[in-house]
Amino acid sequence: MQALIDKAKVLIEALPYMRRFFDKTIVVKYGGAAQKDAALRASFAKDVVLMKHIGVRPVIVHGGGPQIGATLERLGKQSTFVDGLRVTDDETMEVVEMVLGGKVNHEIVELVQKAGGRAIGLTGSDGGMIRTRRRTKDGRDIGRVGAVVGVDPAAIVAVADAGFVPVIAPIGIGDDGLTYNVNADEAAGAIAQALHAEKLILLTDVAGVLDGEGQLVPQLTQERARMLVDQGVVKGGMIPKIQCCTDAVSGGVARAHVIDGRVEHAVLLEIFTDGGVGTLITR
Ligand code: ADP
Ligand code: MG
């Protein structure tokens, strides 16, 4: 009997969070271990479906760099890199669209549906959603790599209003009518701003933002976040995350989180507990 009562208590503890997030939009950048490991994939999908069923409006934005790399390799397509950025020629972009907008996107749609939800896959070029400009690296052309200049959220809102979970591939559309590959963190941040989301959650493969000693920083202001980047403590793939989180909170998103996607049910823990599992970035 006590076990049952404890179960009821756990549900009641979630009640204030359910109230707070009812009808609110939560944008989740899905990637890393949570996308690779079968158990983590299933637990992520269940979290999304649970959110949806209690009236939260989840929006998923996904990456897919490793899958693109693997397909290019299988096709025997050599890539050149400029400072770690893949030069995306037209042929490479064709593969990006096939893999990111086709295969990976649909795998996530199917994952959510297997967990009992209903999802619709979109790319950022659908409905003119993610508007981009061509990005260069130190003045050098790197091909179809885009920076986000704006987001028209109409397609996402239509899909969410109709009761589906939108699953978005980070492909943007330029003024030149061409599609561009966009960093998934950057896309998720811009989408969160355009939707006036309550939360932006970036799943990653580390505990969160780590300090110079490798310890988790549970909470960061924009100012301290910028300091960590300037000091070189935050490097590599964590830089676009920090950037998009600080932009998001400046742009009206209440809270932005970098969380440990290696933990089962990381998203639910973030939403329904006080502590959460990672770094919270606030204004
Ligand atoms: P993702 O697939 O989540 O986008 P990335 O490799 O692009 O992964 O970015 C996360 C990586 O950023 C971490 O695995 C880590 O190696 C690196 N990183 C650099 N500086 C930090 C830091 N201060 N705290 C946490 N991670 C950091
Ligand atoms: Mg990354």
Side-chain angles (χ1 to χ4, degrees):
M1 195 60 184
Q2 192 54 47
L4 289 174
I5 294 170
D6 287 344
K7 241 183 216 169
K9 281 184 180 158
V10 169
L11 283 171
I12 294 299
E13 275 166 25
L15 180 59
Y17 301 98
M18 292 182 190
R19 274 216 184 98
R20 189 190 302 164
F21 296 120
F22 183 77
D23 211 26
K24 298 280 179 11
T25 298
I26 296 184
V27 176
V28 183
K29 189 284 184 118
Y30 178 59
Q35 200 175 355
K36 281 177 226 128
D37 176 276
L40 294 174
R41 285 165 63 88
S43 97
F44 169 79
K46 282 182 190 152
D47 290 2
V48 169
V49 172
L50 189 146
M51 268 196 269
K52 184 76 187 170
H53 278 279
I54 61 168
V56 179
R57 293 162 66 97
V59 173
I60 302 172
V61 181
H62 62 86
Q67 292 94 324
I68 293 166
T71 306
L72 286 169
E73 198 168 302
R74 261 165 60 193
L75 293 171
K77 168 92 184 142
Q78 301 285 339
S79 291
T80 45
F81 291 86
V82 173
D83 278 351
L85 281 175
R86 189 191 297 278
V87 177
T88 307
D89 59 15
D90 293 347
E91 211 176 271
T92 303
M93 190 61 204
E94 225 176 285
V95 175
V96 169
E97 293 203 59
M98 273 164 32
V99 174
L100 208 56
K103 186 165 187 289
V104 175
N105 188 268
H106 279 275
E107 277 170 2
I108 299 167
V109 167
E110 282 150 26
L111 185 70
V112 172
Q113 298 193 155
K114 235 189 251 165
R118 293 189 307 158
I120 287 185
L122 298 166
T123 83
S125 76
D126 289 311
M129 184 201 305
I130 302 178
R131 293 191 306 276
T132 59
R133 63 170 172 77
R134 200 180 186 95
R135 174 171 267 169
T136 54
K137 182 73 194 169
D138 303 325
R140 286 170 68 183
D141 183 47
I142 47 173
R144 307 263 291 273
V145 179
V148 180
V149 294
V151 170
D152 179 345
I156 310 170
V157 172
V159 165
D161 281 350
F164 300 95
V165 177
V167 177
I168 303 163
I171 293 169
I173 183 93
D175 282 340
D176 51 11
L178 292 174
T179 50
Y180 285 88
N181 193 5
V182 174
N183 176 282
D185 297 321
E186 189 186 341
I191 286 169
Q193 284 186 58
L195 291 169
H196 309 293
E198 190 67 18
K199 260 186 201 292
L200 166 66
I201 298 177
L202 304 176
L203 286 173
T204 189
D205 286 346
V206 284
V209 179
L210 308 176
D211 66 15
E213 267 80 58
Q215 296 296 310
L216 174 68
V217 184
Q219 198 163 337
L220 267 179
T221 58
Q222 283 175 303
E223 201 189 338
R224 173 128 192 261
R226 253 177 243 125
M227 232 165 64
L228 290 178
V229 175
D230 290 343
Q231 291 166 345
V233 171
V234 165
K235 303 184 284 276
M238 196 50 70
I239 294 176
K241 289 186 206 302
I242 290 286
Q243 188 63 50
C244 92
C245 286
T246 53
D247 286 352
V249 295
S250 308
V253 176
R255 286 162 169 241
H257 305 261
V258 177
I259 70 168
D260 192 345
R262 300 167 304 179
V263 174
E264 257 183 80
H265 299 296
V267 174
L268 267 199
L269 290 173
E270 181 47 65
I271 296 171
F272 294 112
T273 66
D274 279 327
V277 283
T279 302
L280 163 66
I281 292 126
T282 56
R283 239 165 296 175

